[in-house]
Amino acid sequence: MTTTPDTALAPETSAEEVTPALDENVWTEPLDEEQSSTPPASPADPVIPAPAVPEAGDGDGEGGSDAVRRDAREFGAFARTGGWTFALMVARSVRPGGVPAGEAGGPAAKVSAKEFARLAGCSPERVMRFYRAWDRAADDGVVPVFEALVPGVDIDLPDADVWLGYYTSRSSGESPRGQAISAVAEAEGIRPTKALEVAENPTALRAAILADPGTAQAARHALLDRLEDDPELGEDLAKDIARTGELSKTVAAAARTATSVEFVRDLIDNGEMTTPSGDRVPAPEHVVAEAKQHLSLIEGLDEEDEAPYVADAQKAVRSLVTEAVESDPQLRAHERRARFQGKVRKAAKAFEELTLDDAADLYEEELLEQLETLQKAINDCISELRSSAAPTPAPAPASAPAPGDDA
């Protein structure tokens, strides 16, 4: 690149020494300080802007730029309040259905959820979810009511953790079913949105149960907990199990094991034993001590190994109960009397349920002989019981007064 002689600078000549020629009849625009120190660019050379140099306090400096400080303030506000920040924007600016005609055009006029959503570039449904969350919180006294809020005016907001108790990002959370799911989710210490998502995708839940043993175990525990409040579910499960051959056998065996364990544990917990006739009487100390030893052995075993030990424990404890009954004369007599009375009542009930409306069709010689034999046995039993009863002493006759005695 070449320069004209009258503008070239000699190496030893400074820029301050070179000034444009002044003509009395020609006005020359003075050069500012920046232009005076920068040579003009040749048309053949592109002009490349110099990179911007951060001034003191910009970027990562101590003070930070206005944009950085604004971002930091907004981030901090959201970190402290979470969704309350957006809910406030909706609560102070939205009135469902719009503004009454008398308030239109006011300095603090609110808009409808549809208009607010249009301005925000989102759906009215999303806006109303924030609105309803604020409404629920206002009912609990957590935040001010809508009438106390003015568009553009900030207020102190609750902590971010409180927000999850009032807001759900899923429309299903607004229904009674969704509210029930959300309440249980909060009680279990998880976010309601997670539980609602699972409830909305039963096929996904089924896939997780089929593929993952841990999920299957969680589902099993949940079903067992629900059985207490849902008898219909229990009936459906029982029917499903009964229709499955191997599963029904497994359940029957498990039920027998559980009954045996309960028999031993009940004797220990209550200190009472059930006699063969079904009466509850205090258990001797040695019977309780023996039952405790069997139970401690069972509790130390795995579930798959406990079935034979449980059966042996129940058999051993029953034998101890029988021995305790036989060794006590009073208890033995009571047991015999209870068994006898039980059989008599059972036989009497069976005869009470018989009907002879069609006696002609029921007649059989062999059946009649059996009834006659039974009648003879009943008569013998009655005679035996009467003869074994202690005779009642006859009352002493009243003595007649002697002749001549005063009445």
Side-chain angles (χ1 to χ4, degrees):
M1 181 178 69
T2 59
T3 58
T4 56
D6 55 342
T7 58
L9 297 179
E12 66 276 6
T13 305
S14 66
E16 296 177 353
E17 296 176 349
V18 178
T19 57
L22 299 179
D23 192 330
E24 294 181 357
N25 298 323
V26 178
W27 179 83
T28 304
E29 181 179 1
L31 300 176
D32 56 22
E33 183 179 356
E34 181 179 356
Q35 290 175 332
S36 63
S37 60
T38 304
S42 171
D45 296 329
V47 179
I48 302 176
V53 179
E55 297 180 359
D58 286 352
D60 295 336
E62 182 178 353
S65 67
D66 291 341
V68 172
R69 287 196 297 269
R70 183 173 61 254
D71 286 346
R73 285 195 302 269
E74 293 178 358
F75 177 84
F78 185 81
R80 290 188 303 271
T81 62
W84 292 115
T85 302
F86 300 118
L88 174 61
M89 299 176 186
V90 173
R92 69 190 181 189
S93 302
V94 171
R95 175 178 293 173
V99 181
E103 301 180 13
K110 299 184 179 182
V111 299
S112 66
K114 183 176 181 180
E115 175 63 15
F116 190 88
R118 185 188 67 81
L119 296 173
C122 64
S123 66
E125 290 76 13
R126 179 182 294 273
V127 173
M128 288 305 299
R129 283 199 289 270
F130 282 89
Y131 186 92
R132 283 190 289 267
W134 188 278
D135 190 26
R136 286 190 288 268
D139 289 341
D140 293 342
V142 177
V143 295
V145 296
F146 296 106
E147 291 75 11
L149 302 175
V150 178
V153 178
D154 292 332
I155 64 171
D156 292 334
L157 295 173
D159 293 337
D161 295 340
V162 184
W163 171 250
L164 297 178
Y166 294 98
Y167 175 79
T168 173
S169 61
R170 314 188 75 85
S171 58
S172 60
E174 304 294 336
S175 64
R177 173 175 175 267
Q179 292 176 1
I181 295 174
S182 299
V184 175
E186 292 174 2
E188 295 290 334
I190 64 173
R191 294 180 60 183
T193 51
K194 294 291 185 182
L196 290 169
E197 183 179 358
V198 173
E200 293 173 5
N201 295 276
T203 304
L205 176 61
R206 170 183 169 83
I209 293 174
L210 292 175
D212 179 39
T215 305
Q217 289 291 342
R220 178 175 69 88
H221 291 304
L223 288 174
L224 292 176
D225 293 340
R226 184 176 175 81
L227 289 179
E228 299 178 1
D229 301 324
D230 193 347
E232 293 183 1
L233 176 62
E235 294 177 2
D236 292 340
L237 286 177
K239 293 177 181 177
D240 293 338
I241 292 172
R243 296 188 187 103
T244 307
E246 289 299 324
L247 187 57
S248 62
K249 295 178 182 178
T250 303
V251 171
R256 287 193 297 270
T257 300
T259 302
S260 300
V261 173
E262 185 60 27
F263 173 81
V264 178
R265 183 177 283 110
D266 177 69
L267 189 148
I268 298 171
D269 294 341
N270 298 313
E272 294 180 345
M273 60 184 184
T274 303
T275 64
S277 65
D279 288 340
R280 300 275 293 178
V281 297
E285 294 183 359
H286 74 280
V287 176
V288 177
E290 187 74 16
K292 287 182 178 179
Q293 292 182 1
H294 285 286
L295 184 62
S296 62
L297 175 62
I298 294 171
E299 291 177 343
L301 298 173
D302 296 333
E303 293 184 0
E304 58 270 15
D305 298 331
E306 69 177 9
Y309 292 93
V310 169
D312 292 343
Q314 185 185 31
K315 183 178 180 180
V317 174
R318 286 191 183 279
S319 298
L320 292 172
V321 171
T322 302
E323 293 175 2
V325 170
E326 293 297 327
S327 62
D328 187 335
Q330 186 176 359
L331 187 59
R332 183 175 65 251
H334 173 77
E335 183 71 9
R336 291 180 58 194
R337 183 165 54 252
R339 285 200 300 265
F340 183 82
Q341 291 176 351
K343 291 179 180 179
V344 171
R345 292 192 184 97
K346 186 180 296 185
K349 183 177 181 181
F351 271 90
E352 289 173 357
E353 294 175 352
L354 293 178
T355 58
L356 300 176
D357 298 338
D358 300 324
D361 298 335
L362 299 176
Y363 176 80
E364 289 183 6
E365 188 66 27
E366 182 179 359
L367 178 61
L368 187 60
E369 292 177 358
Q370 291 179 347
L371 288 174
E372 291 175 347
T373 302
L374 179 61
Q375 183 180 28
K376 182 178 182 303
I378 293 175
N379 292 333
D380 293 343
C381 181
I382 293 174
S383 300
E384 184 70 20
L385 290 175
R386 284 178 175 172
S387 62
S388 62
T392 303
S399 57
D405 290 346
D406 295 335

